[in-house]
Amino acid sequence: MEFIFETRMLVRDYECDIEGIVNNANYLHYAEHTRHLFLKDCGLSFAEMHRKGVDAVVARMNLQYKTPLRCDDELISRLAMKKEGIKYVFMQNIYRASDEKLCFKGVIELVCIVNGRLGNSDEYDKAFEKYLKK
């Protein structure tokens, strides 16, 4: 898989559960934050798109938890994408930075709600154009 974007983050202590590992729900936060940073890198603001009446919403997720992250671990969140019909499909992997061990693997499908109706967004398509192979 060819990743097109990556970012790094640090695990914070409050993201860990009683077992000392990152709580599973926090991986979704890392993945979402990565998508928002990617969107910014493409020249769009998630908040501004909402103000224009275009909301990209999660329609489906397939998640695999591989190796747990722990407090103070640095993580690398990587993203690839494709478009299938009206869905944007993001393949997102999270790695522990110290050894590149795969920690999380997700396939997250998003659709756009444009002025309250399911549909295509020309602005998202244009922003992602160079990454969407025809």
Side-chain angles (χ1 to χ4, degrees):
M1 176 178 356
E2 184 181 332
F3 293 106
I4 57 174
F5 184 81
E6 78 173 40
T7 190
R8 290 174 176 253
M9 296 175 232
L10 286 177
V11 172
R12 295 156 295 214
D13 59 342
Y14 63 83
E15 296 169 333
C16 298
D17 58 24
I18 198 165
E19 298 167 326
I21 60 175
V22 170
N23 178 276
N24 63 80
N26 286 300
Y27 291 90
L28 301 179
H29 293 285
Y30 302 149
E32 182 174 41
H33 185 62
T34 302
R35 290 192 306 276
H36 287 201
L37 291 175
F38 170 68
L39 188 62
K40 242 182 174 173
D41 194 60
C42 291
L44 291 179
S45 159
F46 190 75
E48 182 59 30
M49 291 301 293
H50 171 73
R51 285 190 283 279
K52 291 179 177 183
V54 180
D55 293 303
V57 297
V58 172
R60 179 178 298 153
M61 290 189 266
N62 182 348
L63 313 173
Q64 297 177 41
Y65 299 90
K66 299 294 192 176
T67 301
L69 288 165
R70 299 183 181 281
C71 186
D72 296 329
D73 278 345
E74 182 180 20
L75 64 96
I76 305 168
S77 181
R78 295 186 174 124
L79 172 151
M81 73 171 302
K82 62 184 175 180
K83 189 169 184 192
E84 295 177 348
I86 63 169
K87 295 183 299 189
Y88 298 103
V89 181
F90 290 89
M91 289 71 66
Q92 294 187 250
N93 289 4
I94 296 175
Y95 300 87
R96 187 171 50 209
S98 63
D99 59 4
E100 291 270 339
K101 188 90 169 171
L102 180 62
C103 299
F104 170 88
K105 193 174 186 175
V107 178
I108 297 102
E109 297 178 2
L110 281 79
V111 295
C112 286
I113 307 296
V114 181
N115 296 317
R117 300 182 69 106
L118 184 63
N120 279 304
S121 165
D122 292 336
E123 286 178 275
Y124 275 102
D125 284 347
K126 185 172 172 47
F128 298 152
E129 186 173 44
K130 66 182 177 182
Y131 304 112
L132 299 174
K133 295 180 175 51
K134 302 290 178 190

Short mmCIF file of all heavy atoms in Angstrom, two decimals, residues 46-109:
data_model
loop_
_atom_site.label_atom_id
_atom_site.label_comp_id
_atom_site.label_asym_id
_atom_site.label_seq_id
_atom_site.Cartn_x
_atom_site.Cartn_y
_atom_site.Cartn_z
N PHE A 46 -11.92 21.17 7.69
CA PHE A 46 -13.09 20.38 8.05
C PHE A 46 -14.20 21.30 8.58
O PHE A 46 -15.36 21.19 8.20
CB PHE A 46 -12.69 19.34 9.10
CG PHE A 46 -13.73 18.31 9.38
CD1 PHE A 46 -13.98 17.29 8.49
CD2 PHE A 46 -14.46 18.36 10.56
CE1 PHE A 46 -14.95 16.32 8.76
CE2 PHE A 46 -15.43 17.41 10.83
CZ PHE A 46 -15.67 16.39 9.92
N ALA A 47 -13.83 22.26 9.44
CA ALA A 47 -14.80 23.20 10.03
C ALA A 47 -15.40 24.11 8.95
O ALA A 47 -16.62 24.37 8.95
CB ALA A 47 -14.15 24.02 11.13
N GLU A 48 -14.57 24.60 8.05
CA GLU A 48 -15.06 25.48 6.99
C GLU A 48 -16.01 24.73 6.05
O GLU A 48 -17.02 25.28 5.61
CB GLU A 48 -13.90 26.09 6.21
CG GLU A 48 -14.30 27.05 5.12
CD GLU A 48 -15.12 28.25 5.61
OE1 GLU A 48 -14.93 28.69 6.77
OE2 GLU A 48 -15.96 28.74 4.83
N MET A 49 -15.67 23.49 5.74
CA MET A 49 -16.56 22.70 4.89
C MET A 49 -17.93 22.52 5.56
O MET A 49 -18.96 22.61 4.89
CB MET A 49 -15.93 21.33 4.57
CG MET A 49 -14.71 21.42 3.65
SD MET A 49 -15.06 22.17 2.04
CE MET A 49 -16.11 20.94 1.32
N HIS A 50 -17.93 22.32 6.87
CA HIS A 50 -19.19 22.21 7.60
C HIS A 50 -20.01 23.50 7.48
O HIS A 50 -21.22 23.46 7.22
CB HIS A 50 -18.95 21.88 9.08
CG HIS A 50 -20.18 21.96 9.91
ND1 HIS A 50 -21.18 21.02 9.84
CD2 HIS A 50 -20.59 22.89 10.80
CE1 HIS A 50 -22.16 21.37 10.66
NE2 HIS A 50 -21.82 22.50 11.26
N ARG A 51 -19.33 24.64 7.62
CA ARG A 51 -20.02 25.92 7.49
C ARG A 51 -20.62 26.09 6.09
O ARG A 51 -21.63 26.77 5.92
CB ARG A 51 -19.08 27.08 7.82
CG ARG A 51 -18.82 27.23 9.32
CD ARG A 51 -18.09 28.51 9.66
NE ARG A 51 -16.68 28.47 9.37
CZ ARG A 51 -15.75 27.91 10.14
NH1 ARG A 51 -16.08 27.36 11.28
NH2 ARG A 51 -14.48 27.94 9.79
N LYS A 52 -20.02 25.45 5.09
CA LYS A 52 -20.53 25.52 3.72
C LYS A 52 -21.63 24.48 3.46
O LYS A 52 -22.14 24.38 2.36
CB LYS A 52 -19.40 25.28 2.72
CG LYS A 52 -18.39 26.40 2.66
CD LYS A 52 -17.31 26.06 1.65
CE LYS A 52 -16.32 27.20 1.50
NZ LYS A 52 -15.30 26.89 0.47
N GLY A 53 -21.96 23.68 4.48
CA GLY A 53 -23.02 22.69 4.33
C GLY A 53 -22.56 21.35 3.82
O GLY A 53 -23.37 20.52 3.39
N VAL A 54 -21.24 21.10 3.88
CA VAL A 54 -20.69 19.82 3.42
C VAL A 54 -20.03 19.12 4.60
O VAL A 54 -19.06 19.62 5.17
CB VAL A 54 -19.65 20.03 2.28
CG1 VAL A 54 -19.10 18.69 1.81
CG2 VAL A 54 -20.26 20.80 1.12
N ASP A 55 -20.59 17.97 4.96
CA ASP A 55 -20.05 17.21 6.09
C ASP A 55 -19.60 15.83 5.62
O ASP A 55 -20.40 15.07 5.05
CB ASP A 55 -21.11 17.05 7.18
CG ASP A 55 -21.44 18.37 7.84
OD1 ASP A 55 -20.52 19.01 8.36
OD2 ASP A 55 -22.63 18.76 7.81
N ALA A 56 -18.34 15.52 5.84
CA ALA A 56 -17.82 14.18 5.57
C ALA A 56 -18.03 13.37 6.86
O ALA A 56 -17.53 13.75 7.91
CB ALA A 56 -16.35 14.23 5.20
N VAL A 57 -18.80 12.29 6.75
CA VAL A 57 -19.14 11.51 7.94
C VAL A 57 -18.72 10.06 7.75
O VAL A 57 -18.72 9.53 6.63
CB VAL A 57 -20.65 11.60 8.27
CG1 VAL A 57 -21.04 13.04 8.60
CG2 VAL A 57 -21.50 11.08 7.13
N VAL A 58 -18.36 9.43 8.85
CA VAL A 58 -17.97 8.02 8.81
C VAL A 58 -19.21 7.16 8.56
O VAL A 58 -20.22 7.30 9.26
CB VAL A 58 -17.27 7.60 10.12
CG1 VAL A 58 -17.03 6.10 10.16
CG2 VAL A 58 -15.96 8.36 10.30
N ALA A 59 -19.11 6.30 7.57
CA ALA A 59 -20.20 5.38 7.25
C ALA A 59 -19.91 3.96 7.73
O ALA A 59 -20.82 3.23 8.10
CB ALA A 59 -20.45 5.38 5.74
N ARG A 60 -18.64 3.57 7.73
CA ARG A 60 -18.27 2.21 8.11
C ARG A 60 -16.81 2.17 8.52
O ARG A 60 -15.99 2.91 7.98
CB ARG A 60 -18.50 1.27 6.92
CG ARG A 60 -18.12 -0.16 7.21
CD ARG A 60 -18.41 -1.07 6.04
NE ARG A 60 -19.84 -1.03 5.79
CZ ARG A 60 -20.40 -1.25 4.60
NH1 ARG A 60 -19.66 -1.53 3.56
NH2 ARG A 60 -21.70 -1.20 4.44
N MET A 61 -16.50 1.29 9.47
CA MET A 61 -15.11 1.09 9.89
C MET A 61 -14.83 -0.40 10.06
O MET A 61 -15.68 -1.13 10.56
CB MET A 61 -14.84 1.78 11.23
CG MET A 61 -14.84 3.26 11.18
SD MET A 61 -14.27 3.97 12.73
CE MET A 61 -15.82 4.22 13.55
N ASN A 62 -13.65 -0.81 9.64
CA ASN A 62 -13.15 -2.14 9.91
C ASN A 62 -11.82 -1.94 10.61
O ASN A 62 -10.88 -1.37 10.03
CB ASN A 62 -12.97 -2.93 8.60
CG ASN A 62 -12.51 -4.34 8.84
OD1 ASN A 62 -12.09 -4.71 9.93
ND2 ASN A 62 -12.56 -5.15 7.80
N LEU A 63 -11.73 -2.36 11.86
CA LEU A 63 -10.58 -2.05 12.70
C LEU A 63 -9.88 -3.31 13.17
O LEU A 63 -10.54 -4.29 13.51
CB LEU A 63 -11.03 -1.24 13.93
CG LEU A 63 -11.97 -0.07 13.65
CD1 LEU A 63 -12.47 0.51 14.96
CD2 LEU A 63 -11.27 0.98 12.82
N GLN A 64 -8.55 -3.25 13.19
CA GLN A 64 -7.75 -4.35 13.72
C GLN A 64 -6.72 -3.76 14.68
O GLN A 64 -5.98 -2.85 14.32
CB GLN A 64 -7.02 -5.08 12.60
CG GLN A 64 -7.93 -5.76 11.60
CD GLN A 64 -7.13 -6.39 10.48
OE1 GLN A 64 -6.08 -6.99 10.70
NE2 GLN A 64 -7.61 -6.24 9.25
N TYR A 65 -6.69 -4.29 15.88
CA TYR A 65 -5.73 -3.86 16.89
C TYR A 65 -4.63 -4.91 16.95
O TYR A 65 -4.90 -6.09 17.16
CB TYR A 65 -6.41 -3.68 18.25
CG TYR A 65 -7.49 -2.64 18.21
CD1 TYR A 65 -8.81 -2.96 17.90
CD2 TYR A 65 -7.20 -1.30 18.45
CE1 TYR A 65 -9.80 -1.99 17.84
CE2 TYR A 65 -8.18 -0.32 18.40
CZ TYR A 65 -9.48 -0.68 18.09
OH TYR A 65 -10.45 0.29 18.03
N LYS A 66 -3.39 -4.48 16.75
CA LYS A 66 -2.29 -5.42 16.60
C LYS A 66 -1.36 -5.46 17.82
O LYS A 66 -1.25 -6.46 18.49
CB LYS A 66 -1.49 -5.09 15.34
CG LYS A 66 -2.29 -5.16 14.06
CD LYS A 66 -2.71 -6.58 13.79
CE LYS A 66 -3.26 -6.75 12.39
NZ LYS A 66 -3.57 -8.13 12.09
N THR A 67 -0.65 -4.37 18.06
CA THR A 67 0.31 -4.26 19.16
C THR A 67 -0.06 -3.03 19.98
O THR A 67 -0.22 -1.95 19.41
CB THR A 67 1.75 -4.11 18.62
OG1 THR A 67 2.06 -5.23 17.79
CG2 THR A 67 2.76 -4.01 19.74
N PRO A 68 -0.21 -3.16 21.29
CA PRO A 68 -0.64 -2.01 22.07
C PRO A 68 0.42 -0.91 22.19
O PRO A 68 1.62 -1.19 22.27
CB PRO A 68 -0.95 -2.60 23.45
CG PRO A 68 -0.20 -3.87 23.52
CD PRO A 68 -0.05 -4.37 22.11
N LEU A 69 -0.07 0.32 22.16
CA LEU A 69 0.77 1.47 22.48
C LEU A 69 0.66 1.72 23.97
O LEU A 69 -0.35 1.40 24.60
CB LEU A 69 0.29 2.71 21.71
CG LEU A 69 0.58 2.72 20.22
CD1 LEU A 69 -0.25 3.79 19.52
CD2 LEU A 69 2.07 2.94 19.96
N ARG A 70 1.71 2.34 24.54
CA ARG A 70 1.74 2.65 25.97
C ARG A 70 2.06 4.12 26.18
O ARG A 70 2.48 4.81 25.25
CB ARG A 70 2.78 1.78 26.67
CG ARG A 70 2.47 0.30 26.55
CD ARG A 70 3.45 -0.59 27.30
NE ARG A 70 3.10 -1.99 27.14
CZ ARG A 70 2.15 -2.62 27.80
NH1 ARG A 70 1.44 -1.99 28.71
NH2 ARG A 70 1.90 -3.90 27.58
N CYS A 71 1.89 4.57 27.39
CA CYS A 71 2.15 5.97 27.75
C CYS A 71 3.54 6.41 27.27
O CYS A 71 4.51 5.67 27.42
CB CYS A 71 2.03 6.14 29.26
SG CYS A 71 2.15 7.84 29.78
N ASP A 72 3.59 7.59 26.70
CA ASP A 72 4.81 8.23 26.20
C ASP A 72 5.37 7.61 24.92
O ASP A 72 6.38 8.09 24.41
CB ASP A 72 5.92 8.27 27.27
CG ASP A 72 5.54 9.13 28.45
OD1 ASP A 72 4.79 10.11 28.27
OD2 ASP A 72 6.00 8.83 29.57
N ASP A 73 4.73 6.59 24.38
CA ASP A 73 5.14 6.08 23.07
C ASP A 73 4.88 7.16 22.03
O ASP A 73 3.88 7.88 22.09
CB ASP A 73 4.35 4.83 22.66
CG ASP A 73 4.86 3.54 23.26
OD1 ASP A 73 5.99 3.53 23.77
OD2 ASP A 73 4.12 2.54 23.20
N GLU A 74 5.78 7.26 21.06
CA GLU A 74 5.51 8.10 19.90
C GLU A 74 4.91 7.18 18.84
O GLU A 74 5.35 6.05 18.67
CB GLU A 74 6.79 8.74 19.36
CG GLU A 74 6.53 9.65 18.18
CD GLU A 74 7.79 10.30 17.62
OE1 GLU A 74 8.90 9.79 17.87
OE2 GLU A 74 7.64 11.31 16.90
N LEU A 75 3.89 7.69 18.15
CA LEU A 75 3.26 6.89 17.11
C LEU A 75 3.36 7.62 15.78
O LEU A 75 3.47 8.84 15.72
CB LEU A 75 1.80 6.60 17.46
CG LEU A 75 0.83 7.78 17.57
CD1 LEU A 75 0.07 7.98 16.26
CD2 LEU A 75 -0.15 7.53 18.70
N ILE A 76 3.34 6.83 14.73
CA ILE A 76 3.31 7.35 13.37
C ILE A 76 1.99 6.88 12.76
O ILE A 76 1.71 5.68 12.72
CB ILE A 76 4.47 6.83 12.51
CG1 ILE A 76 5.82 7.12 13.17
CG2 ILE A 76 4.41 7.42 11.10
CD1 ILE A 76 6.99 6.38 12.53
N SER A 77 1.18 7.83 12.35
CA SER A 77 -0.11 7.53 11.75
C SER A 77 0.00 7.79 10.25
O SER A 77 0.32 8.90 9.83
CB SER A 77 -1.19 8.41 12.38
OG SER A 77 -2.45 8.12 11.83
N ARG A 78 -0.24 6.74 9.45
CA ARG A 78 -0.10 6.83 8.00
C ARG A 78 -1.45 6.58 7.32
O ARG A 78 -2.25 5.80 7.81
CB ARG A 78 0.93 5.82 7.50
CG ARG A 78 2.32 6.14 8.01
CD ARG A 78 3.38 5.23 7.41
NE ARG A 78 4.69 5.68 7.82
CZ ARG A 78 5.58 4.91 8.44
NH1 ARG A 78 5.31 3.64 8.69
NH2 ARG A 78 6.75 5.39 8.78
N LEU A 79 -1.61 7.22 6.18
CA LEU A 79 -2.91 7.21 5.50
C LEU A 79 -2.74 6.99 4.00
O LEU A 79 -1.83 7.54 3.39
CB LEU A 79 -3.57 8.56 5.78
CG LEU A 79 -4.84 9.00 5.12
CD1 LEU A 79 -5.58 9.94 6.06
CD2 LEU A 79 -4.57 9.71 3.81
N ALA A 80 -3.61 6.18 3.44
CA ALA A 80 -3.77 6.01 1.99
C ALA A 80 -5.26 6.17 1.72
O ALA A 80 -6.07 6.09 2.64
CB ALA A 80 -3.27 4.64 1.55
N MET A 81 -5.61 6.41 0.47
CA MET A 81 -7.04 6.59 0.18
C MET A 81 -7.38 6.20 -1.24
O MET A 81 -6.51 6.13 -2.12
CB MET A 81 -7.49 8.02 0.45
CG MET A 81 -7.01 9.03 -0.58
SD MET A 81 -7.74 10.67 -0.41
CE MET A 81 -9.46 10.33 -0.54
N LYS A 82 -8.67 5.96 -1.44
CA LYS A 82 -9.22 5.74 -2.77
C LYS A 82 -10.69 6.16 -2.71
O LYS A 82 -11.24 6.41 -1.63
CB LYS A 82 -9.09 4.28 -3.20
CG LYS A 82 -9.84 3.30 -2.32
CD LYS A 82 -9.57 1.87 -2.75
CE LYS A 82 -10.23 0.89 -1.78
NZ LYS A 82 -10.01 -0.50 -2.17
N LYS A 83 -11.32 6.26 -3.87
CA LYS A 83 -12.74 6.59 -3.92
C LYS A 83 -13.47 5.45 -4.62
O LYS A 83 -13.02 4.96 -5.65
CB LYS A 83 -12.97 7.91 -4.65
CG LYS A 83 -14.41 8.38 -4.52
CD LYS A 83 -14.63 9.80 -4.98
CE LYS A 83 -16.08 10.18 -4.72
NZ LYS A 83 -16.46 11.41 -5.38
N GLU A 84 -14.57 5.03 -4.01
CA GLU A 84 -15.43 3.98 -4.57
C GLU A 84 -16.85 4.54 -4.62
O GLU A 84 -17.49 4.67 -3.58
CB GLU A 84 -15.39 2.72 -3.71
CG GLU A 84 -14.05 2.05 -3.66
CD GLU A 84 -14.01 0.83 -2.74
OE1 GLU A 84 -14.96 0.64 -1.95
OE2 GLU A 84 -13.02 0.10 -2.80
N GLY A 85 -17.30 4.90 -5.80
CA GLY A 85 -18.63 5.52 -5.91
C GLY A 85 -18.62 6.85 -5.19
O GLY A 85 -17.80 7.71 -5.49
N ILE A 86 -19.52 7.00 -4.24
CA ILE A 86 -19.54 8.25 -3.47
C ILE A 86 -18.74 8.15 -2.18
O ILE A 86 -18.64 9.12 -1.44
CB ILE A 86 -20.98 8.72 -3.16
CG1 ILE A 86 -21.72 7.70 -2.28
CG2 ILE A 86 -21.74 8.99 -4.43
CD1 ILE A 86 -23.04 8.23 -1.74
N LYS A 87 -18.13 6.99 -1.92
CA LYS A 87 -17.38 6.78 -0.67
C LYS A 87 -15.91 7.13 -0.85
O LYS A 87 -15.29 6.78 -1.86
CB LYS A 87 -17.44 5.32 -0.22
CG LYS A 87 -18.79 4.81 0.16
CD LYS A 87 -18.70 3.39 0.66
CE LYS A 87 -18.18 2.47 -0.43
NZ LYS A 87 -18.27 1.05 -0.10
N TYR A 88 -15.35 7.78 0.14
CA TYR A 88 -13.91 7.93 0.26
C TYR A 88 -13.46 6.84 1.24
O TYR A 88 -13.97 6.75 2.35
CB TYR A 88 -13.52 9.30 0.82
CG TYR A 88 -13.94 10.44 -0.06
CD1 TYR A 88 -15.06 11.20 0.26
CD2 TYR A 88 -13.24 10.76 -1.21
CE1 TYR A 88 -15.46 12.26 -0.54
CE2 TYR A 88 -13.63 11.81 -2.02
CZ TYR A 88 -14.74 12.56 -1.68
OH TYR A 88 -15.14 13.59 -2.49
N VAL A 89 -12.53 6.02 0.80
CA VAL A 89 -12.05 4.91 1.63
C VAL A 89 -10.63 5.22 2.07
O VAL A 89 -9.73 5.37 1.24
CB VAL A 89 -12.11 3.57 0.86
CG1 VAL A 89 -11.64 2.43 1.75
CG2 VAL A 89 -13.51 3.32 0.31
N PHE A 90 -10.45 5.33 3.38
CA PHE A 90 -9.15 5.62 3.96
C PHE A 90 -8.58 4.36 4.59
O PHE A 90 -9.23 3.74 5.43
CB PHE A 90 -9.25 6.72 5.02
CG PHE A 90 -9.57 8.07 4.44
CD1 PHE A 90 -10.88 8.47 4.27
CD2 PHE A 90 -8.55 8.93 4.06
CE1 PHE A 90 -11.18 9.71 3.73
CE2 PHE A 90 -8.85 10.17 3.52
CZ PHE A 90 -10.16 10.56 3.36
N MET A 91 -7.38 3.99 4.17
CA MET A 91 -6.65 2.90 4.80
C MET A 91 -5.65 3.57 5.74
O MET A 91 -4.80 4.35 5.29
CB MET A 91 -5.93 2.05 3.76
CG MET A 91 -6.87 1.18 2.90
SD MET A 91 -7.91 2.04 1.70
CE MET A 91 -6.72 2.70 0.56
N GLN A 92 -5.80 3.31 7.01
CA GLN A 92 -4.98 4.00 8.00
C GLN A 92 -4.28 2.99 8.91
O GLN A 92 -4.93 2.13 9.50
CB GLN A 92 -5.84 4.95 8.83
CG GLN A 92 -6.40 6.08 7.98
CD GLN A 92 -7.11 7.12 8.81
OE1 GLN A 92 -8.33 7.24 8.75
NE2 GLN A 92 -6.34 7.87 9.58
N ASN A 93 -2.96 3.12 8.98
CA ASN A 93 -2.15 2.28 9.86
C ASN A 93 -1.45 3.17 10.89
O ASN A 93 -1.02 4.28 10.55
CB ASN A 93 -1.09 1.51 9.08
CG ASN A 93 -1.68 0.40 8.24
OD1 ASN A 93 -2.89 0.22 8.15
ND2 ASN A 93 -0.81 -0.35 7.59
N ILE A 94 -1.34 2.65 12.08
CA ILE A 94 -0.62 3.34 13.15
C ILE A 94 0.51 2.43 13.61
O ILE A 94 0.30 1.25 13.87
CB ILE A 94 -1.55 3.71 14.31
CG1 ILE A 94 -2.60 4.73 13.83
CG2 ILE A 94 -0.75 4.26 15.50
CD1 ILE A 94 -3.66 5.08 14.85
N TYR A 95 1.71 3.01 13.67
CA TYR A 95 2.92 2.28 14.03
C TYR A 95 3.55 2.89 15.28
O TYR A 95 3.48 4.11 15.48
CB TYR A 95 3.95 2.35 12.90
CG TYR A 95 3.47 1.78 11.61
CD1 TYR A 95 2.76 2.57 10.71
CD2 TYR A 95 3.71 0.46 11.27
CE1 TYR A 95 2.30 2.05 9.50
CE2 TYR A 95 3.27 -0.07 10.06
CZ TYR A 95 2.56 0.74 9.19
OH TYR A 95 2.10 0.22 8.00
N ARG A 96 4.19 2.06 16.08
CA ARG A 96 5.02 2.56 17.18
C ARG A 96 6.30 3.07 16.55
O ARG A 96 6.96 2.35 15.79
CB ARG A 96 5.28 1.44 18.18
CG ARG A 96 5.99 1.88 19.43
CD ARG A 96 6.04 0.79 20.48
NE ARG A 96 6.54 -0.46 19.92
CZ ARG A 96 6.18 -1.67 20.37
NH1 ARG A 96 5.33 -1.79 21.36
NH2 ARG A 96 6.68 -2.76 19.81
N ALA A 97 6.65 4.32 16.82
CA ALA A 97 7.79 4.95 16.14
C ALA A 97 9.12 4.29 16.48
O ALA A 97 10.00 4.21 15.62
CB ALA A 97 7.84 6.44 16.47
N SER A 98 9.27 3.80 17.68
CA SER A 98 10.57 3.26 18.11
C SER A 98 11.02 2.05 17.31
O SER A 98 12.22 1.85 17.12
CB SER A 98 10.54 2.92 19.60
OG SER A 98 9.58 1.89 19.85
N ASP A 99 10.07 1.25 16.82
CA ASP A 99 10.46 0.04 16.09
C ASP A 99 9.58 -0.23 14.85
O ASP A 99 9.70 -1.29 14.24
CB ASP A 99 10.44 -1.18 17.01
CG ASP A 99 9.07 -1.42 17.64
OD1 ASP A 99 8.09 -0.70 17.32
OD2 ASP A 99 8.97 -2.35 18.48
N GLU A 100 8.71 0.73 14.50
CA GLU A 100 7.82 0.60 13.34
C GLU A 100 6.88 -0.61 13.44
O GLU A 100 6.40 -1.13 12.44
CB GLU A 100 8.62 0.53 12.02
CG GLU A 100 9.30 1.82 11.64
CD GLU A 100 8.45 2.74 10.78
OE1 GLU A 100 7.50 2.28 10.13
OE2 GLU A 100 8.76 3.94 10.77
N LYS A 101 6.61 -1.05 14.65
CA LYS A 101 5.69 -2.17 14.87
C LYS A 101 4.27 -1.70 14.59
O LYS A 101 3.84 -0.66 15.08
CB LYS A 101 5.82 -2.66 16.32
CG LYS A 101 5.09 -3.91 16.63
CD LYS A 101 5.98 -5.10 16.39
CE LYS A 101 5.29 -6.31 16.98
NZ LYS A 101 5.93 -7.52 16.65
N LEU A 102 3.53 -2.48 13.78
CA LEU A 102 2.15 -2.15 13.46
C LEU A 102 1.28 -2.30 14.72
O LEU A 102 1.27 -3.36 15.34
CB LEU A 102 1.63 -3.06 12.35
CG LEU A 102 0.18 -2.84 11.90
CD1 LEU A 102 -0.02 -1.44 11.32
CD2 LEU A 102 -0.22 -3.91 10.89
N CYS A 103 0.55 -1.24 15.05
CA CYS A 103 -0.29 -1.24 16.25
C CYS A 103 -1.78 -1.26 15.92
O CYS A 103 -2.57 -1.84 16.66
CB CYS A 103 0.01 0.00 17.10
SG CYS A 103 1.72 0.07 17.67
N PHE A 104 -2.13 -0.64 14.83
CA PHE A 104 -3.54 -0.48 14.47
C PHE A 104 -3.66 -0.43 12.96
O PHE A 104 -2.83 0.19 12.28
CB PHE A 104 -4.07 0.82 15.08
CG PHE A 104 -5.44 1.25 14.61
CD1 PHE A 104 -6.58 0.80 15.25
CD2 PHE A 104 -5.58 2.13 13.54
CE1 PHE A 104 -7.84 1.21 14.82
CE2 PHE A 104 -6.83 2.54 13.11
CZ PHE A 104 -7.97 2.08 13.76
N LYS A 105 -4.70 -1.07 12.45
CA LYS A 105 -4.97 -1.07 11.02
C LYS A 105 -6.47 -0.81 10.87
O LYS A 105 -7.28 -1.53 11.44
CB LYS A 105 -4.60 -2.43 10.47
CG LYS A 105 -4.51 -2.55 9.00
CD LYS A 105 -3.97 -3.94 8.65
CE LYS A 105 -3.74 -4.01 7.17
NZ LYS A 105 -3.11 -5.26 6.79
N GLY A 106 -6.81 0.22 10.11
CA GLY A 106 -8.21 0.54 9.93
C GLY A 106 -8.55 0.87 8.49
O GLY A 106 -7.74 1.46 7.78
N VAL A 107 -9.74 0.46 8.10
CA VAL A 107 -10.31 0.89 6.83
C VAL A 107 -11.56 1.67 7.21
O VAL A 107 -12.49 1.13 7.80
CB VAL A 107 -10.66 -0.30 5.91
CG1 VAL A 107 -11.31 0.20 4.62
CG2 VAL A 107 -9.41 -1.12 5.60
N ILE A 108 -11.52 2.97 6.91
CA ILE A 108 -12.59 3.86 7.32
C ILE A 108 -13.22 4.45 6.07
O ILE A 108 -12.55 5.05 5.24
CB ILE A 108 -12.06 4.98 8.25
CG1 ILE A 108 -11.52 4.37 9.54
CG2 ILE A 108 -13.17 5.96 8.60
CD1 ILE A 108 -10.07 4.26 9.63
N GLU A 109 -14.54 4.24 5.92
CA GLU A 109 -15.27 4.73 4.77
C GLU A 109 -16.06 5.97 5.17
O GLU A 109 -16.77 5.95 6.17
CB GLU A 109 -16.24 3.66 4.24
CG GLU A 109 -15.54 2.42 3.74
CD GLU A 109 -16.51 1.34 3.26
OE1 GLU A 109 -17.74 1.57 3.28
OE2 GLU A 109 -16.02 0.28 2.87
#
